[in-house]
Amino acid sequence: MAMTSNAEVIVAGAGPVGLLLACELALAGVRVTVLDRRTEAVPQSRALTMHGRTLEMLALRGVAGRFLARGMPIPSGHFAGLPTRLDFSACDSSCPFTLFIPQSVTEQLLEAWAGELGVDVRRGATVESTGQDEEGVWVAGTRAGTPFRLEARYLVGADGARSLVRRQAGIAFDGVPPTRTAMLGDVLLSTPPPGRALSLGNPAGGLMVVPLGGELYRVIVVDAQEIDVPVEVPVTLDGLAAATRRVAGDDFGMHAPQWLSRFSNQTCLAQSYRQGRIFLAGDAAHIHLPAGGQGMNVGMQDAMNLGWKLAGVLRGRAGASGMASLLDSYEAERHPVGAALYRNTLAQSALMMESFDPAGQALRATLSELMKGPELNATLAHELSGFGIRYRAALLPTPQGGEACARWTGRRVPDWPLRHADGTASSLYRHLAGGRWVALRVDESAQTGWQGALDGGWVDMVTAAVPGREAELEGVAVLVVRPDGYVDHAIAAVMPAQASLG
């Protein structure tokens, strides 16, 4: 039992979800230990897409530039591999694109940030059992052959689709079993397709070829002849090449595979995201066909939502101000997002894996044509990117004497440029970088009093105009913005001098 820890939160899993959660906690001074059975980070590129909302989250903490410097912005995306692309320029954001960046790089950057914040990341630590009582949680396992047992206040399972944390917490993980599979390979191509990238569908199946740099490419094949092969059957280079030839008529000279895998359309959603002091995030809470690059992104958004809420409770900032149920709001807000993810990936699965007959091909062609319409295109772009998420209820009560502007509740706020009365400029996200609440007073005649909203001084008052947004903000005195960049509520009425949010 040599391993010890004084952690307040234990996170199982050092992938992008667990690392981001740990960073969010550490930013608030919460002591966190991350345990991962792997002795080193995953070397494969794996997920390649970082959506705009995830980049916005990183910008909220001042670190998006690190990721932008290592990735390539792509202004469009796909829905079920259909020919009509999704146009992210319709999204009101400073990041109206996806960032092409390998998951291995994302993890590397997150782990470096975690190190700067003092996060205790312990690799080679296999979690074997977990438990909880009214006072806290415990985790037991082995590391380098030595048993360990750690205790903390809370435990978060970010330990993937086969999550031990989820199983031992007794949380059901129901959904659609695997009925269809596809093949994936990161391979070298000696004669890549014209333009280097390729996306096509026909009665033989579907194919996507994505350049990863140099001669390395990601090849994804949905082969009508191989669609029923169980996910456990290993993929070989010969098998991937043969499937590619059947769909595209050419295997593009693929050789020297760096990663070969088979994935399925299995789709599951955890019945709950919380059991007492134990929480789930990322693949531990939701798995699905990797369509549209959503899994890692939704998981990282889970992590931020949970992180600042756990930090607020642990630092005593969330009790006396009507926020005793702050931790309950994690499931209330994120489970519906997981349910929407469940639906849209199942829809994409049907379009990609059940569409080899003439009827299926006709459906794909019809939907692709409809996606040329700006309204449908924008709806799907907002859904896949995460920009379309809106939370239904405020976490704080409207101050006494104030009138709420309901149209603002739960809305995501982009990184607005701000202009202050003394002529200086800043941006909204700069004021959110520390993980605190911001009461943005856009009407200087509005009285102060919002600093007492949360115990422990968790809210900053910022007075500024928002150039170019005057019409949108008409009638608003104060926007109370959560640490994750969503408006909790907006206040329209001029406040009495003694008002407070408590």
Side-chain angles (χ1 to χ4, degrees), residues 262-471:
R262 197 181 303 271
F263 60 89
S264 78
N265 62 341
Q266 183 178 14
T267 309
C268 297
L269 178 65
Q271 187 175 70
S272 62
Y273 281 20
R274 179 187 184 188
Q275 176 58 251
R277 292 178 172 271
I278 296 174
F279 297 83
L280 303 178
D283 287 354
H286 41 75
I287 61 167
H288 51 84
L289 183 78
Q294 297 175 87
M296 180 189 77
N297 289 274
V298 174
M300 290 174 72
Q301 291 160 31
D302 292 342
M304 174 168 273
N305 187 288
L306 178 59
W308 65 265
K309 293 174 179 177
L310 268 176
V313 169
L314 285 165
R315 289 295 166 264
R317 295 166 172 166
S321 304
M323 297 186 69
S325 61
L326 185 60
L327 292 183
D328 290 333
S329 74
Y330 170 63
E331 178 172 322
E333 291 185 344
R334 296 305 299 176
H335 196 275
V337 174
L341 177 68
Y342 185 102
R343 290 190 300 272
N344 93 51
T345 51
L346 272 181
Q348 292 189 75
S349 173
L351 286 162
M352 296 172 73
M353 294 181 148
E354 309 285 350
S355 59
F356 307 116
D357 59 18
Q361 293 296 304
L363 177 62
R364 286 180 61 85
T366 300
L367 183 55
S368 186
E369 190 66 26
L370 289 172
M371 284 169 56
K372 293 178 181 177
E375 187 173 346
L376 177 58
N377 197 294
T379 296
L380 292 175
H382 278 81
E383 182 169 348
L384 262 70
S385 65
F387 288 133
I389 292 170
R390 179 170 182 172
Y391 297 125
R392 292 179 293 179
L395 302 177
L396 292 174
T398 304
Q400 185 178 1
E403 179 183 342
C405 298
R407 72 181 189 274
W408 281 96
T409 299
R411 279 179 56 178
R412 175 189 64 86
V413 185
D415 192 12
W416 287 339
L418 304 180
R419 186 178 66 244
H420 302 276
D422 62 2
T424 60
S426 66
S427 75
L428 177 61
Y429 286 9
R430 195 195 82 186
H431 299 282
L432 289 160
R436 296 163 58 85
W437 291 67
V438 167
L440 177 62
R441 185 169 59 172
V442 296
D443 179 355
E444 290 190 38
S445 66
Q447 300 296 312
T448 59
W450 292 273
Q451 294 92 329
L454 304 168
D455 297 338
W458 203 17
V459 62
D460 294 328
M461 172 65 73
V462 176
T463 301
V466 187
R469 301 276 180 168
E470 292 83 2

